[in-house]
Each structure stands twice: as C-alpha cells, then as structure tokens.
C-alpha cells in the first residue's frame, strides 16, 4: 500500500495529507538520541494543524529538556509497558505476587486497553474502555479498585523510570458500581458457639486451628507454616511468625511487617500444649509424613492443606445451621475486638502484621506493654476448655 503524499504547511515540521478525502495532519522532527545517533520522530493522524503543532512542540520540549527517553518510548503500548514492568520487578516479587499481577492484567487490563499507546491512556479511556464494562458485568468497588491499582502501578513505574513524563488519568468514577461485601466480624456469642462445637464434635486439629486464628488474628498461610522447633517457644511464651505457606510451599512473608512475635496468652499456651500431646502421639506412627515438623497436621500425620480449614468451616456451618463465614473472619474478629476495647491501632497492627512500614519499625523489635495486654485481653473475653472429641464425628 502506497504511503500518502505528505505536503508541507507553513509551520516547519508539520505536514498534511489526504485520507478518505479528508485533510489529516502529522509532523516530522529530526534529533539525536542519547548515543548521538541521528533519529527522526514522526506521528500522523491529527485532525487539525493546531493539534499536530502542539504535539510537535511537546516533542521538541522533551528533547530540549534532556528527556529523550520520553520521545523514544511514546509509541510504547500498555502491553509492552507491562512486560517491562514485570521484567524489572520479578526478581523481587514473591511467586504469588507475580501470579496475581499477571492474572489481573491479562484477564482485565490487557484485554481491554492493552493495544493502546501509553501516551493515549487518559481518564476517558480508563473509564469507558476498562472500568465501565466491568461495572456492567457486576464487578464491585473493591475489585475494580484492585484492577485499577495494577494499571496505576505500571504507569507510576513508567514515570519513575523516565519512560513517560506524566499520567493522563486519575482514580475512576465508581459511583455506579455496587459496594463491596464487607467482611464481618463474628460476635462473641457466635465465636464461642463455633469453638465449642469444634471442641466437642470435631477433631483436635480443627479446634486448635480455629482457636489460634481467633486468639491471634493470624493469617491461614502463617498458621500452616508454623513449625514446632523454630516457631513455638513455650519457655518465653512466644509464637514466631516469619513465613507463610500456600499451595506452592513455604516462603517468606510478602511484607516486612508480617515478621513478628506474638505473645502467648494463657488460652493459647494451654490449647497448644494440649494439642502437642496429641501431636506427639500421632507422630509416633506418622512422623515420616511431616519431615519439616509443621505444627498442624491431619489425623494421618500430614501437614494440613490450603483448603483444610475452609472445608471444615463449611461443614460446621452446614451441619449446625450457622451463617457461613471464612477463616479470615476470625482474623477480622480479633482485630475488631481489640479496637473496640480501645487497644491502640498501632498495637493491633503490630500483632497482626498488617501495617505500613513505619508502624512495623516501631513495634517489630520488642514487645510493648500494650501488645502483651492486647494478647491477655483475649483471656478475659473468652474462656476455652480443653479439647473434647466426640465419637460421633466421622472424618
């Protein structure tokens, strides 16, 4: 296909050509790149001479300001920018971080605006091409913001690394999106009933896991990663939380503030000691199935799986006609109880490892009195009995 005939205008570097009988404008600008090589920047498709001139002026200004990289990268697409972003960050990411980023970007962002040049991504594009179609599909506010944050992250990276001079979009309008379902905390009566049911009708691992999640606000992955030898210190009444475990195995936590020491209260220590007696008995037969000494195992001596607790909670809710909840509700319940009893936010944050870096620095090195008090508060709120397994429960 022959190229359109470019005709000079009165403005140096700006040209016009005919496309489908309509006058269209473009520009050409010669410059030297960072290595002293002669380059030419061209762009076409402008509806007016003013727009072409303005674009040319922006190119000239970037080059005069020493920002040659902006000029060289302005044809970069969202797909290409995302690839650069992943390549620059993957060595520092946890495996789950990379998988989550790739899933969100490929599933939502790339499919909708991946082909666009990054310089053309503005508020209208983000709203109409990315967000609005997802709102129509019923996506909730929280999910939409998670998707938007991924897009925002790669553009912030582009600016920081002088690939792009600025972003042309801000937070999208989510007023038409339905509100995210908020995680509910269980009431004291509800959690007491759940734990009593687990204690009297289910397995000791079920009861101990659910109790520990409630008493510590620990994440399920952190609970699964606990090991007797390195993490449970009965002498100093400390639980060391320094790793997590998912379907791909144990790994270090995602953030620095997730590393923490949780002070054992009397309930926690009593329940763990009771559980340890059972554990040692079962391990006499099945020790070979748990070579790394993970704390929580099944009745067959194998470390509990990723969906182990969700399955038992689903079963309890179904059998006992309890409103459904997830393991994370227990973490949320712990935090809610602490805050409602006027424990400082920073103290609660230090206990659950879910705060910004500045909070972590204040509380990571030693226990403050407030942290020990916050743990002991759970003893005052609920009294847990020793495990009592019913013969009626079938694994």
């Amino acid at each position: 296909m022959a190229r359109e005939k470019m005709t000079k205008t009165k403005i140096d570097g700006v040209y016009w050509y005919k496309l489908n009988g309509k006058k269209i404008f473009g520009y050409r600008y010669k410059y030297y790149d960072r290595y002293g090589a002669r380059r030419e920047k061209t762009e076409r498709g402008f509806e007016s001479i003013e727009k072409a001139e303005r674009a040319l002026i922006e190119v000239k200004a970037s080059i005069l300001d020493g920002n040659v990289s902006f000029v060289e990268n302005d044809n970069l697409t969202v797909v290409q920018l995302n690839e650069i972003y992943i390549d620059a960050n993957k060595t520092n990411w946890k495996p789950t971080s990379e998988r989550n980023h790739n899933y969100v970007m490929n599933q939502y962002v790339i499919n909708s605006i991946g082909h666009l040049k990054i310089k053309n991504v503005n508020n209208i594009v983000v709203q109409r091409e990315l967000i609005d179609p997802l709102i129509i599909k019923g996506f909730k506010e929280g999910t939409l913001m998670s998707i938007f944050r991924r897009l925002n992250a790669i553009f912030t990276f582009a600016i920081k690394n002088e690939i792009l001079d600025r972003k042309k979009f801000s937070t999208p309008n989510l007023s038409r999106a339905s509100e995210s379902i908020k995680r509910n905390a269980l009431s004291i009566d509800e959690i007491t009933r759940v734990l009593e049911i687990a204690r009297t009708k289910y397995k000791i691992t079920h009861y101990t896991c659910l109790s520990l999640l409630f008493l510590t606000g620990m994440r399920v992955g952190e609970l699964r990663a606990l090991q007797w030898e390195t993490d449970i210190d009965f002498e100093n009444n400390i639980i060391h939380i320094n790793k997590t475990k998912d379907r791909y195995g144990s790994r270090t936590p995602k953030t620095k503030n997730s590393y923490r020491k949780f002070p054992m209260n009397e309930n926690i220590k009593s329940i763990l000691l009771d559980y340890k007696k059972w554990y040692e008995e079962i391990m006499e037969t099945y020790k070979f199935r748990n070579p790394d000494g993970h704390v929580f195992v099944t009745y067959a001596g194998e470390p509990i799986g990723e969906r182990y607790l969700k399955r038992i909670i689903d079963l309890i809710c179904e059998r006992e006609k309890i409103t459904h909840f997830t393991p994370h509700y227990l973490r949320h319940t712990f935090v809610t109880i602490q805050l409602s009893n006027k424990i400082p936010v920073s103290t609660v944050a230090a206990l659950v490892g879910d705060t910004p870096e500045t909070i972590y620095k204040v509380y990571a090195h030693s226990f403050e009195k407030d942290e020990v008090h916050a743990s002991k508060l759970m003893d005052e709120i609920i009294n847990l009995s020793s495990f009592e397994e019913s013969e009626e429960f079938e694994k």
Side-chain angles (χ1 to χ4, degrees):
M1 183 175 176
R3 291 177 60 87
E4 299 87 353
K5 180 182 177 182
M6 305 294 288
T7 304
K8 290 183 178 181
T9 67
K10 294 180 180 179
I11 300 173
D12 186 34
V14 177
Y15 301 79
W16 67 267
Y17 59 96
K18 286 290 185 86
L19 181 64
N20 297 327
K22 185 178 179 181
K23 207 171 188 179
I24 304 296
F25 297 86
Y27 68 79
R28 291 175 179 167
Y29 183 67
K30 294 182 179 181
Y31 68 97
Y32 290 96
D33 65 16
R34 289 169 290 179
Y35 306 103
R38 187 72 167 170
R39 301 284 295 274
E40 182 179 72
K41 175 67 179 175
T42 65
E43 187 170 0
R44 299 185 295 169
F46 297 99
E47 297 178 353
S48 67
I49 190 172
E50 290 80 12
K51 290 183 178 180
E53 182 183 18
R54 181 180 181 84
L56 175 58
I57 291 172
E58 289 180 356
V59 169
K60 289 180 178 180
S62 291
I63 292 173
L64 290 172
D65 290 340
N67 299 322
V68 177
S69 59
F70 295 157
V71 176
E72 295 174 345
N73 291 308
D74 74 346
N75 283 325
L76 215 61
T77 64
V78 174
V79 168
Q80 293 169 329
L81 174 60
N82 184 54
E83 290 172 351
I84 295 172
Y85 175 79
I86 292 171
D87 188 60
N89 288 283
K90 62 183 180 182
T91 56
N92 297 318
W93 274 345
K94 302 295 181 185
T96 50
S97 298
E98 184 174 357
R99 285 192 295 270
N100 291 340
H101 178 82
N102 287 335
Y103 177 82
V104 172
M105 291 299 293
N106 293 333
Q107 192 77 10
Y108 306 113
V109 178
I110 302 304
N111 283 342
S112 58
I113 61 173
H115 63 288
L116 297 177
K117 293 180 181 179
I118 58 175
K119 67 177 182 180
N120 294 331
V121 177
N122 54 31
N123 278 324
I124 295 176
V125 168
V126 171
Q127 189 71 44
R128 290 183 180 177
E129 303 297 324
L130 176 60
I131 299 300
D132 285 350
L134 297 178
I135 290 177
I136 293 172
K137 290 180 180 179
F139 281 54
K140 299 185 182 301
E141 283 184 21
T143 305
L144 292 171
M145 279 306 300
S146 295
I147 294 170
F148 173 75
R149 281 193 288 268
R150 296 286 179 183
L151 175 68
N152 193 58
I154 69 171
F155 274 78
T156 301
F157 166 84
I159 294 169
K160 182 179 179 180
N161 290 278
E162 297 184 349
I163 297 172
L164 191 68
D165 60 341
R166 62 187 175 90
K167 285 188 302 180
K168 297 180 181 179
F169 61 86
S170 54
T171 304
N173 182 356
L174 304 179
S175 60
R176 293 190 296 113
S178 55
E179 291 186 9
S180 300
I181 298 175
K182 294 181 173 57
R183 295 187 183 275
N184 296 316
L186 301 179
S187 68
I188 296 299
D189 288 342
E190 288 172 326
I191 192 62
T192 300
R193 183 184 175 205
V194 168
L195 294 179
E196 183 64 11
I197 289 170
R199 184 180 73 86
T200 57
K201 296 184 179 182
Y202 292 79
K203 301 291 187 181
I204 190 170
T205 301
H206 303 151
Y207 173 65
T208 309
C209 285
L210 294 178
S211 297
L212 204 60
L213 289 178
F214 165 64
L215 292 171
T216 66
M218 202 181 300
R219 300 175 178 91
V220 173
E222 294 168 341
L223 182 87
R224 292 182 58 222
L226 291 176
Q227 295 170 283
W228 287 113
E229 186 174 345
T230 58
D231 303 327
I232 308 300
D233 183 352
F234 288 116
E235 183 177 346
N236 296 302
N237 296 325
I238 291 172
I239 297 176
H240 297 268
I241 302 172
N242 50 36
K243 53 188 173 296
T244 188
K245 188 180 182 185
D246 55 23
R247 73 189 71 176
Y248 302 99
S250 294
R251 56 180 174 78
T252 56
K254 183 176 181 179
T255 60
K256 290 182 179 179
N257 52 308
S258 293
Y259 290 88
R260 60 196 187 278
K261 300 175 183 179
F262 195 99
M264 288 189 206
N265 60 33
E266 289 304 315
N267 269 330
I268 294 172
K269 187 170 185 177
S270 175
I271 290 169
L272 279 175
L273 285 171
D274 191 25
Y275 173 80
K276 194 170 190 295
K277 291 178 182 178
W278 169 85
Y279 174 89
E280 289 173 347
E281 292 176 3
I282 201 79
M283 282 299 113
E284 287 183 5
T285 303
Y286 298 119
K287 187 174 183 179
F288 67 96
R289 293 180 177 172
N290 184 28
D292 295 323
H294 285 106
V295 173
F296 293 106
V297 297
T298 68
Y299 267 52
E302 298 173 340
I304 62 173
E306 188 176 31
R307 298 179 61 80
Y308 178 86
L309 289 176
K310 184 181 184 305
R311 285 196 296 267
I312 198 60
I313 288 175
D314 290 346
L315 184 60
I316 291 174
C317 291
E318 180 182 353
R319 286 185 175 181
E320 308 296 333
K321 309 302 179 187
I322 295 173
T323 302
H324 184 264
F325 65 96
T326 68
H328 195 82
Y329 276 51
L330 302 177
R331 176 178 170 84
H332 192 67
T333 300
F334 172 87
V335 172
T336 301
I337 289 174
Q338 300 296 332
L339 295 178
S340 65
N341 282 273
K342 300 186 180 349
I343 299 298
V345 174
S346 54
T347 299
V348 178
L351 285 170
V352 298
D354 198 20
T355 59
E357 180 70 13
T358 53
I359 299 298
Y360 169 76
K361 288 179 180 178
V362 174
Y363 291 98
H365 303 296
S366 62
F367 289 134
E368 299 289 342
K369 291 181 180 179
D370 282 341
E371 291 185 33
V372 177
H373 171 62
S375 178
K376 289 182 176 179
L377 174 66
M378 303 303 283
D379 281 340
E380 301 171 10
I381 290 173
I382 187 169
N383 291 317
L384 300 182
S385 304
S386 297
F387 176 77
E388 181 180 309
E389 183 179 8
S390 169
E391 295 180 359
E392 297 178 2
F393 179 79
E394 296 180 2
K395 185 180 177 185

